[in-house]
Amino acid sequence: MKVLILCTGNSCRSQMAHGFLQSFDERIQVESGGTEASGKLNRKAVKAMAEIGIDISEHTSDSVQKFLNEEWDYVITVCGGANESCPAFFGEVKHRLHIGFDDPSHATGTDEFIWSEFIRVRDEIKERFYKLYEDEIKPQL
């Protein structure tokens, strides 16, 4: 089972989703990429995941171009708001899904509020990806 998770910058939401899905079942090959990959991980996303025991610090922020010549069981976009354009993926894919989330790296306000947005989005990603895993992916393994 091969799953590719896409976002714009591949530094935050797609990285958290990648970490969660991999933690649910090591039999799944999970990769993540971005249309405008930042080349680095968001430090707050890494910290939010570490807080619950998932280490994504060794992940890399990669361009979607790296994955175009591979076949995928699932390609899942996780971009959120109306101001974002979700990446299109033109490789060979069995299932295309969109599971959108707000981008916590765009939160403004106090440090406490910004951190709470990272935690909120992290927890939403966990919940939605666990449901996807249980309902669709696990039965195919």
Side-chain angles (χ1 to χ4, degrees), residues 57-115:
S57 65
E58 298 299 316
H59 286 196
T60 56
S61 175
D62 298 313
S63 170
V64 66
Q65 298 298 319
K66 177 179 176 179
F67 306 107
L68 286 177
N69 295 324
E70 297 182 46
E71 294 180 21
W72 298 94
D73 294 295
Y74 285 87
V75 171
I76 305 166
T77 53
V78 293
C79 37
N83 295 332
E84 272 186 288
S85 56
C86 284
F89 184 80
F90 299 105
E92 192 167 329
V93 181
K94 290 180 185 168
H95 307 279
R96 295 173 195 271
L97 300 174
H98 174 73
I99 307 174
F101 302 97
D102 294 334
D103 188 346
S105 66
H106 291 160
T108 58
T110 65
D111 289 345
E112 293 80 14
F113 175 74
I114 293 168
W115 179 244

Short mmCIF file of all heavy atoms in Angstrom, two decimals, residues 57-115:
data_model
loop_
_atom_site.label_atom_id
_atom_site.label_comp_id
_atom_site.label_asym_id
_atom_site.label_seq_id
_atom_site.Cartn_x
_atom_site.Cartn_y
_atom_site.Cartn_z
N SER A 57 10.93 14.53 12.84
CA SER A 57 12.07 15.44 12.67
C SER A 57 13.02 15.03 11.54
O SER A 57 13.74 15.87 11.02
CB SER A 57 12.85 15.58 13.98
OG SER A 57 13.43 14.34 14.34
N GLU A 58 12.99 13.77 11.16
CA GLU A 58 13.87 13.31 10.08
C GLU A 58 13.18 13.30 8.72
O GLU A 58 13.79 12.93 7.72
CB GLU A 58 14.41 11.90 10.40
CG GLU A 58 15.26 11.84 11.66
CD GLU A 58 16.50 12.72 11.58
OE1 GLU A 58 17.18 12.72 10.54
OE2 GLU A 58 16.77 13.43 12.57
N HIS A 59 11.90 13.71 8.68
CA HIS A 59 11.22 13.82 7.39
C HIS A 59 11.89 14.90 6.55
O HIS A 59 12.55 15.79 7.08
CB HIS A 59 9.75 14.21 7.59
CG HIS A 59 8.88 13.11 8.11
ND1 HIS A 59 7.53 13.16 8.05
CD2 HIS A 59 9.18 11.94 8.72
CE1 HIS A 59 7.00 12.07 8.58
NE2 HIS A 59 8.00 11.31 9.01
N THR A 60 11.69 14.84 5.25
CA THR A 60 12.21 15.89 4.37
C THR A 60 11.04 16.54 3.64
O THR A 60 10.01 15.90 3.41
CB THR A 60 13.20 15.30 3.35
OG1 THR A 60 12.56 14.26 2.62
CG2 THR A 60 14.45 14.76 4.04
N SER A 61 11.20 17.79 3.30
CA SER A 61 10.20 18.53 2.55
C SER A 61 10.56 18.41 1.07
O SER A 61 11.54 19.00 0.62
CB SER A 61 10.19 20.00 2.99
OG SER A 61 9.30 20.75 2.20
N ASP A 62 9.77 17.62 0.34
CA ASP A 62 10.11 17.28 -1.03
C ASP A 62 9.09 17.81 -2.04
O ASP A 62 7.90 17.90 -1.73
CB ASP A 62 10.16 15.75 -1.19
CG ASP A 62 11.24 15.13 -0.32
OD1 ASP A 62 12.37 15.63 -0.32
OD2 ASP A 62 10.92 14.13 0.38
N SER A 63 9.57 18.09 -3.23
CA SER A 63 8.69 18.52 -4.31
C SER A 63 7.88 17.33 -4.82
O SER A 63 8.38 16.20 -4.90
CB SER A 63 9.52 19.09 -5.46
OG SER A 63 8.69 19.28 -6.60
N VAL A 64 6.65 17.61 -5.21
CA VAL A 64 5.78 16.58 -5.78
C VAL A 64 6.42 15.96 -7.03
O VAL A 64 6.15 14.81 -7.36
CB VAL A 64 4.38 17.16 -6.08
CG1 VAL A 64 4.45 18.21 -7.18
CG2 VAL A 64 3.40 16.07 -6.44
N GLN A 65 7.28 16.70 -7.68
CA GLN A 65 7.94 16.19 -8.89
C GLN A 65 8.67 14.88 -8.64
O GLN A 65 8.77 14.03 -9.51
CB GLN A 65 8.94 17.24 -9.42
CG GLN A 65 8.32 18.55 -9.85
CD GLN A 65 7.33 18.39 -10.99
OE1 GLN A 65 7.58 17.64 -11.93
NE2 GLN A 65 6.21 19.10 -10.91
N LYS A 66 9.18 14.72 -7.43
CA LYS A 66 9.93 13.51 -7.05
C LYS A 66 9.08 12.24 -7.19
O LYS A 66 9.62 11.16 -7.35
CB LYS A 66 10.40 13.69 -5.60
CG LYS A 66 11.14 12.52 -5.01
CD LYS A 66 11.58 12.83 -3.58
CE LYS A 66 12.24 11.62 -2.94
NZ LYS A 66 12.70 11.91 -1.58
N PHE A 67 7.76 12.38 -7.12
CA PHE A 67 6.87 11.22 -7.03
C PHE A 67 6.04 10.96 -8.28
O PHE A 67 5.26 10.01 -8.32
CB PHE A 67 5.93 11.40 -5.84
CG PHE A 67 6.65 11.67 -4.56
CD1 PHE A 67 6.64 12.93 -3.99
CD2 PHE A 67 7.37 10.67 -3.92
CE1 PHE A 67 7.32 13.19 -2.81
CE2 PHE A 67 8.05 10.91 -2.74
CZ PHE A 67 8.02 12.18 -2.19
N LEU A 68 6.19 11.79 -9.31
CA LEU A 68 5.32 11.70 -10.48
C LEU A 68 5.44 10.40 -11.25
O LEU A 68 4.48 9.97 -11.88
CB LEU A 68 5.57 12.88 -11.42
CG LEU A 68 5.03 14.22 -10.95
CD1 LEU A 68 5.41 15.32 -11.95
CD2 LEU A 68 3.52 14.18 -10.76
N ASN A 69 6.59 9.77 -11.24
CA ASN A 69 6.79 8.56 -12.04
C ASN A 69 6.46 7.28 -11.30
O ASN A 69 6.76 6.19 -11.78
CB ASN A 69 8.22 8.51 -12.57
CG ASN A 69 8.49 9.64 -13.54
OD1 ASN A 69 7.61 10.03 -14.30
ND2 ASN A 69 9.69 10.19 -13.50
N GLU A 70 5.87 7.39 -10.11
CA GLU A 70 5.51 6.21 -9.33
C GLU A 70 4.00 5.99 -9.37
O GLU A 70 3.23 6.91 -9.62
CB GLU A 70 5.95 6.40 -7.87
CG GLU A 70 7.45 6.53 -7.70
CD GLU A 70 7.84 6.67 -6.24
OE1 GLU A 70 7.32 5.89 -5.43
OE2 GLU A 70 8.65 7.55 -5.93
N GLU A 71 3.60 4.75 -9.10
CA GLU A 71 2.17 4.43 -8.97
C GLU A 71 1.79 4.52 -7.50
O GLU A 71 2.57 4.12 -6.63
CB GLU A 71 1.91 3.01 -9.48
CG GLU A 71 2.13 2.84 -10.97
CD GLU A 71 1.84 1.43 -11.42
OE1 GLU A 71 1.12 0.69 -10.72
OE2 GLU A 71 2.36 1.07 -12.49
N TRP A 72 0.58 5.02 -7.23
CA TRP A 72 0.11 5.22 -5.85
C TRP A 72 -1.27 4.61 -5.67
O TRP A 72 -2.12 4.70 -6.54
CB TRP A 72 0.06 6.71 -5.53
CG TRP A 72 1.41 7.32 -5.62
CD1 TRP A 72 1.96 7.95 -6.71
CD2 TRP A 72 2.42 7.32 -4.62
NE1 TRP A 72 3.25 8.33 -6.42
CE2 TRP A 72 3.55 7.96 -5.15
CE3 TRP A 72 2.47 6.83 -3.31
CZ2 TRP A 72 4.73 8.13 -4.42
CZ3 TRP A 72 3.63 7.00 -2.58
CH2 TRP A 72 4.75 7.65 -3.13
N ASP A 73 -1.48 4.01 -4.49
CA ASP A 73 -2.82 3.54 -4.15
C ASP A 73 -3.70 4.72 -3.78
O ASP A 73 -4.88 4.77 -4.14
CB ASP A 73 -2.75 2.53 -2.99
CG ASP A 73 -2.02 1.27 -3.42
OD1 ASP A 73 -2.53 0.57 -4.31
OD2 ASP A 73 -0.92 1.02 -2.90
N TYR A 74 -3.15 5.67 -3.03
CA TYR A 74 -3.87 6.87 -2.63
C TYR A 74 -2.99 8.09 -2.81
O TYR A 74 -1.81 8.06 -2.44
CB TYR A 74 -4.27 6.82 -1.14
CG TYR A 74 -5.41 5.89 -0.84
CD1 TYR A 74 -5.19 4.55 -0.59
CD2 TYR A 74 -6.73 6.36 -0.81
CE1 TYR A 74 -6.24 3.69 -0.31
CE2 TYR A 74 -7.78 5.50 -0.54
CZ TYR A 74 -7.53 4.17 -0.29
OH TYR A 74 -8.57 3.32 -0.02
N VAL A 75 -3.57 9.16 -3.33
CA VAL A 75 -2.97 10.48 -3.28
C VAL A 75 -3.99 11.36 -2.56
O VAL A 75 -5.14 11.46 -2.98
CB VAL A 75 -2.62 11.05 -4.67
CG1 VAL A 75 -2.20 12.51 -4.57
CG2 VAL A 75 -1.51 10.22 -5.30
N ILE A 76 -3.56 11.94 -1.45
CA ILE A 76 -4.46 12.70 -0.59
C ILE A 76 -3.95 14.12 -0.46
O ILE A 76 -2.81 14.34 -0.04
CB ILE A 76 -4.55 12.05 0.81
CG1 ILE A 76 -4.95 10.58 0.69
CG2 ILE A 76 -5.54 12.82 1.69
CD1 ILE A 76 -4.74 9.78 1.97
N THR A 77 -4.79 15.10 -0.82
CA THR A 77 -4.43 16.50 -0.62
C THR A 77 -5.00 16.97 0.72
O THR A 77 -6.10 16.59 1.10
CB THR A 77 -4.96 17.40 -1.77
OG1 THR A 77 -6.36 17.16 -1.93
CG2 THR A 77 -4.24 17.10 -3.07
N VAL A 78 -4.23 17.78 1.42
CA VAL A 78 -4.63 18.24 2.76
C VAL A 78 -4.69 19.76 2.86
O VAL A 78 -4.83 20.30 3.96
CB VAL A 78 -3.71 17.65 3.86
CG1 VAL A 78 -3.87 16.15 3.97
CG2 VAL A 78 -2.25 18.04 3.65
N CYS A 79 -4.61 20.47 1.73
CA CYS A 79 -4.69 21.92 1.77
C CYS A 79 -6.09 22.34 2.21
O CYS A 79 -7.04 21.57 2.09
CB CYS A 79 -4.32 22.52 0.43
SG CYS A 79 -4.90 21.55 -0.96
N GLY A 80 -6.20 23.55 2.71
CA GLY A 80 -7.45 23.92 3.34
C GLY A 80 -8.22 25.03 2.71
O GLY A 80 -9.05 24.82 1.84
N GLY A 81 -7.96 26.27 3.12
CA GLY A 81 -8.82 27.41 2.85
C GLY A 81 -8.95 27.78 1.38
O GLY A 81 -8.23 27.31 0.51
N ALA A 82 -9.89 28.68 1.15
CA ALA A 82 -10.19 29.12 -0.21
C ALA A 82 -9.02 29.86 -0.85
O ALA A 82 -8.94 29.95 -2.07
CB ALA A 82 -11.42 30.03 -0.18
N ASN A 83 -8.11 30.39 -0.04
CA ASN A 83 -6.97 31.12 -0.59
C ASN A 83 -5.86 30.19 -1.05
O ASN A 83 -4.86 30.65 -1.58
CB ASN A 83 -6.41 32.09 0.45
CG ASN A 83 -7.40 33.18 0.79
OD1 ASN A 83 -8.23 33.54 -0.04
ND2 ASN A 83 -7.31 33.70 1.99
N GLU A 84 -6.01 28.91 -0.84
CA GLU A 84 -4.99 27.94 -1.23
C GLU A 84 -5.45 27.16 -2.44
O GLU A 84 -6.61 26.80 -2.54
CB GLU A 84 -4.77 26.92 -0.10
CG GLU A 84 -3.76 27.31 0.90
CD GLU A 84 -3.54 26.16 1.86
OE1 GLU A 84 -4.43 25.91 2.68
OE2 GLU A 84 -2.49 25.52 1.76
N SER A 85 -4.53 26.89 -3.32
CA SER A 85 -4.87 26.00 -4.42
C SER A 85 -4.28 24.64 -4.12
O SER A 85 -3.10 24.53 -3.81
CB SER A 85 -4.34 26.55 -5.75
OG SER A 85 -2.95 26.75 -5.66
N CYS A 86 -5.11 23.63 -4.19
CA CYS A 86 -4.63 22.27 -3.93
C CYS A 86 -3.78 21.82 -5.09
O CYS A 86 -4.10 22.10 -6.24
CB CYS A 86 -5.81 21.32 -3.77
SG CYS A 86 -6.62 21.48 -2.19
N PRO A 87 -2.73 21.09 -4.80
CA PRO A 87 -1.90 20.60 -5.89
C PRO A 87 -2.63 19.54 -6.72
O PRO A 87 -3.42 18.77 -6.20
CB PRO A 87 -0.69 19.99 -5.19
CG PRO A 87 -1.07 19.83 -3.76
CD PRO A 87 -2.21 20.75 -3.49
N ALA A 88 -2.37 19.57 -8.00
CA ALA A 88 -2.88 18.52 -8.88
C ALA A 88 -1.77 17.49 -9.04
O ALA A 88 -0.60 17.83 -9.09
CB ALA A 88 -3.25 19.11 -10.24
N PHE A 89 -2.16 16.24 -9.11
CA PHE A 89 -1.18 15.18 -9.26
C PHE A 89 -1.54 14.39 -10.51
O PHE A 89 -2.66 13.91 -10.64
CB PHE A 89 -1.16 14.25 -8.04
CG PHE A 89 -0.09 13.21 -8.10
CD1 PHE A 89 1.21 13.52 -7.77
CD2 PHE A 89 -0.37 11.92 -8.52
CE1 PHE A 89 2.21 12.58 -7.83
CE2 PHE A 89 0.62 10.96 -8.59
CZ PHE A 89 1.92 11.29 -8.24
N PHE A 90 -0.59 14.29 -11.43
CA PHE A 90 -0.88 13.69 -12.72
C PHE A 90 -0.29 12.30 -12.88
O PHE A 90 -0.33 11.74 -13.96
CB PHE A 90 -0.41 14.62 -13.84
CG PHE A 90 -1.10 15.95 -13.80
CD1 PHE A 90 -0.44 17.07 -13.34
CD2 PHE A 90 -2.43 16.07 -14.17
CE1 PHE A 90 -1.09 18.29 -13.27
CE2 PHE A 90 -3.08 17.28 -14.12
CZ PHE A 90 -2.41 18.41 -13.66
N GLY A 91 0.26 11.74 -11.82
CA GLY A 91 0.80 10.39 -11.89
C GLY A 91 -0.31 9.35 -11.86
O GLY A 91 -1.50 9.67 -11.84
N GLU A 92 0.09 8.08 -11.84
CA GLU A 92 -0.88 6.98 -11.83
C GLU A 92 -1.38 6.74 -10.41
O GLU A 92 -0.60 6.44 -9.51
CB GLU A 92 -0.23 5.71 -12.39
CG GLU A 92 -1.26 4.63 -12.66
CD GLU A 92 -0.70 3.49 -13.49
OE1 GLU A 92 0.19 3.73 -14.33
OE2 GLU A 92 -1.17 2.37 -13.28
N VAL A 93 -2.69 6.89 -10.22
CA VAL A 93 -3.30 6.84 -8.89
C VAL A 93 -4.58 6.02 -8.92
O VAL A 93 -5.41 6.21 -9.80
CB VAL A 93 -3.65 8.27 -8.40
CG1 VAL A 93 -4.25 8.24 -7.02
CG2 VAL A 93 -2.46 9.18 -8.46
N LYS A 94 -4.76 5.14 -7.93
CA LYS A 94 -6.01 4.39 -7.82
C LYS A 94 -7.11 5.21 -7.17
O LYS A 94 -8.27 5.18 -7.57
CB LYS A 94 -5.79 3.10 -7.02
CG LYS A 94 -4.95 2.08 -7.75
CD LYS A 94 -4.76 0.83 -6.91
CE LYS A 94 -3.83 -0.15 -7.59
NZ LYS A 94 -3.41 -1.23 -6.69
N HIS A 95 -6.76 5.94 -6.09
CA HIS A 95 -7.75 6.72 -5.34
C HIS A 95 -7.21 8.12 -5.06
O HIS A 95 -6.13 8.25 -4.48
CB HIS A 95 -8.07 6.06 -3.99
CG HIS A 95 -8.48 4.64 -4.08
ND1 HIS A 95 -9.75 4.25 -4.41
CD2 HIS A 95 -7.77 3.50 -3.90
CE1 HIS A 95 -9.82 2.92 -4.42
NE2 HIS A 95 -8.63 2.44 -4.12
N ARG A 96 -7.98 9.14 -5.44
CA ARG A 96 -7.62 10.53 -5.13
C ARG A 96 -8.62 11.02 -4.08
O ARG A 96 -9.83 10.90 -4.28
CB ARG A 96 -7.73 11.41 -6.36
CG ARG A 96 -6.75 11.07 -7.45
CD ARG A 96 -7.04 11.89 -8.71
NE ARG A 96 -6.36 11.33 -9.85
CZ ARG A 96 -5.12 11.65 -10.21
NH1 ARG A 96 -4.45 12.54 -9.52
NH2 ARG A 96 -4.57 11.08 -11.26
N LEU A 97 -8.10 11.59 -3.01
CA LEU A 97 -8.96 12.12 -1.94
C LEU A 97 -8.50 13.51 -1.56
O LEU A 97 -7.32 13.85 -1.67
CB LEU A 97 -8.87 11.23 -0.69
CG LEU A 97 -9.27 9.76 -0.82
CD1 LEU A 97 -8.96 9.04 0.48
CD2 LEU A 97 -10.75 9.66 -1.15
N HIS A 98 -9.46 14.30 -1.06
CA HIS A 98 -9.11 15.58 -0.47
C HIS A 98 -9.65 15.59 0.95
O HIS A 98 -10.84 15.35 1.17
CB HIS A 98 -9.71 16.75 -1.25
CG HIS A 98 -9.48 18.05 -0.56
ND1 HIS A 98 -8.24 18.65 -0.52
CD2 HIS A 98 -10.30 18.84 0.17
CE1 HIS A 98 -8.32 19.76 0.20
NE2 HIS A 98 -9.57 19.89 0.63
N ILE A 99 -8.75 15.83 1.90
CA ILE A 99 -9.14 15.97 3.30
C ILE A 99 -8.49 17.27 3.76
O ILE A 99 -7.31 17.31 4.09
CB ILE A 99 -8.65 14.78 4.16
CG1 ILE A 99 -9.09 13.44 3.55
CG2 ILE A 99 -9.16 14.91 5.59
CD1 ILE A 99 -8.51 12.22 4.26
N GLY A 100 -9.25 18.35 3.73
CA GLY A 100 -8.68 19.68 3.97
C GLY A 100 -8.57 20.07 5.43
O GLY A 100 -9.40 19.70 6.26
N PHE A 101 -7.51 20.83 5.71
CA PHE A 101 -7.26 21.34 7.06
C PHE A 101 -6.77 22.79 6.97
O PHE A 101 -6.08 23.15 6.01
CB PHE A 101 -6.17 20.51 7.77
CG PHE A 101 -6.50 19.06 7.88
CD1 PHE A 101 -6.03 18.15 6.97
CD2 PHE A 101 -7.33 18.61 8.91
CE1 PHE A 101 -6.34 16.80 7.06
CE2 PHE A 101 -7.66 17.27 9.00
CZ PHE A 101 -7.16 16.36 8.08
N ASP A 102 -7.10 23.57 7.98
CA ASP A 102 -6.54 24.92 8.08
C ASP A 102 -5.03 24.82 8.22
O ASP A 102 -4.51 23.84 8.76
CB ASP A 102 -7.09 25.64 9.32
CG ASP A 102 -8.58 25.92 9.24
OD1 ASP A 102 -9.12 26.01 8.12
OD2 ASP A 102 -9.22 26.02 10.31
N ASP A 103 -4.32 25.85 7.77
CA ASP A 103 -2.87 25.88 7.90
C ASP A 103 -2.50 26.62 9.19
O ASP A 103 -2.62 27.84 9.26
CB ASP A 103 -2.24 26.59 6.70
CG ASP A 103 -0.73 26.47 6.68
OD1 ASP A 103 -0.14 26.08 7.71
OD2 ASP A 103 -0.14 26.77 5.63
N PRO A 104 -2.06 25.88 10.22
CA PRO A 104 -1.74 26.55 11.48
C PRO A 104 -0.55 27.48 11.37
O PRO A 104 -0.40 28.40 12.20
CB PRO A 104 -1.46 25.39 12.45
CG PRO A 104 -1.02 24.27 11.56
CD PRO A 104 -1.79 24.44 10.28
N SER A 105 0.28 27.32 10.36
CA SER A 105 1.44 28.21 10.21
C SER A 105 1.02 29.61 9.79
O SER A 105 1.82 30.54 9.82
CB SER A 105 2.47 27.63 9.24
OG SER A 105 1.95 27.58 7.94
N HIS A 106 -0.24 29.77 9.39
CA HIS A 106 -0.75 31.10 9.04
C HIS A 106 -1.50 31.76 10.19
O HIS A 106 -2.02 32.86 10.04
CB HIS A 106 -1.67 31.02 7.82
CG HIS A 106 -0.93 30.68 6.56
ND1 HIS A 106 -1.55 30.18 5.45
CD2 HIS A 106 0.38 30.77 6.23
CE1 HIS A 106 -0.66 29.97 4.50
NE2 HIS A 106 0.52 30.32 4.95
N ALA A 107 -1.57 31.09 11.34
CA ALA A 107 -2.27 31.66 12.50
C ALA A 107 -1.53 32.90 12.99
O ALA A 107 -0.30 32.95 12.98
CB ALA A 107 -2.38 30.63 13.61
N THR A 108 -2.30 33.89 13.43
CA THR A 108 -1.71 35.10 14.00
C THR A 108 -2.33 35.34 15.37
O THR A 108 -3.43 34.87 15.66
CB THR A 108 -1.96 36.33 13.09
OG1 THR A 108 -3.37 36.49 12.91
CG2 THR A 108 -1.28 36.17 11.74
N GLY A 109 -1.60 36.06 16.18
CA GLY A 109 -2.08 36.36 17.53
C GLY A 109 -1.00 36.05 18.54
O GLY A 109 0.19 36.06 18.22
N THR A 110 -1.43 35.74 19.75
CA THR A 110 -0.48 35.45 20.82
C THR A 110 0.21 34.11 20.56
O THR A 110 -0.29 33.27 19.81
CB THR A 110 -1.20 35.36 22.18
OG1 THR A 110 -2.09 34.24 22.14
CG2 THR A 110 -1.97 36.64 22.50
N ASP A 111 1.34 33.92 21.21
CA ASP A 111 2.04 32.64 21.09
C ASP A 111 1.15 31.49 21.53
O ASP A 111 1.16 30.43 20.92
CB ASP A 111 3.32 32.64 21.95
CG ASP A 111 4.40 33.54 21.38
OD1 ASP A 111 4.30 33.94 20.19
OD2 ASP A 111 5.36 33.84 22.11
N GLU A 112 0.37 31.73 22.58
CA GLU A 112 -0.53 30.69 23.09
C GLU A 112 -1.60 30.33 22.06
O GLU A 112 -1.91 29.15 21.87
CB GLU A 112 -1.20 31.14 24.40
CG GLU A 112 -0.27 31.28 25.57
CD GLU A 112 0.53 32.59 25.57
OE1 GLU A 112 0.19 33.53 24.81
OE2 GLU A 112 1.52 32.66 26.33
N PHE A 113 -2.15 31.34 21.40
CA PHE A 113 -3.18 31.07 20.38
C PHE A 113 -2.58 30.31 19.20
O PHE A 113 -3.15 29.33 18.72
CB PHE A 113 -3.85 32.35 19.90
CG PHE A 113 -4.82 32.08 18.77
CD1 PHE A 113 -6.05 31.49 19.03
CD2 PHE A 113 -4.48 32.37 17.46
CE1 PHE A 113 -6.93 31.20 17.99
CE2 PHE A 113 -5.35 32.08 16.41
CZ PHE A 113 -6.59 31.51 16.68
N ILE A 114 -1.42 30.76 18.73
CA ILE A 114 -0.78 30.09 17.59
C ILE A 114 -0.50 28.64 17.93
O ILE A 114 -0.79 27.73 17.14
CB ILE A 114 0.50 30.85 17.17
CG1 ILE A 114 0.12 32.23 16.60
CG2 ILE A 114 1.32 30.04 16.17
CD1 ILE A 114 1.29 33.17 16.41
N TRP A 115 0.04 28.39 19.13
CA TRP A 115 0.31 27.00 19.53
C TRP A 115 -0.98 26.19 19.60
O TRP A 115 -1.03 25.04 19.17
CB TRP A 115 1.05 26.98 20.87
CG TRP A 115 1.35 25.59 21.34
CD1 TRP A 115 0.87 24.98 22.46
CD2 TRP A 115 2.18 24.62 20.70
NE1 TRP A 115 1.34 23.69 22.54
CE2 TRP A 115 2.16 23.45 21.48
CE3 TRP A 115 2.94 24.63 19.53
CZ2 TRP A 115 2.88 22.30 21.13
CZ3 TRP A 115 3.65 23.49 19.18
CH2 TRP A 115 3.61 22.34 19.98
#
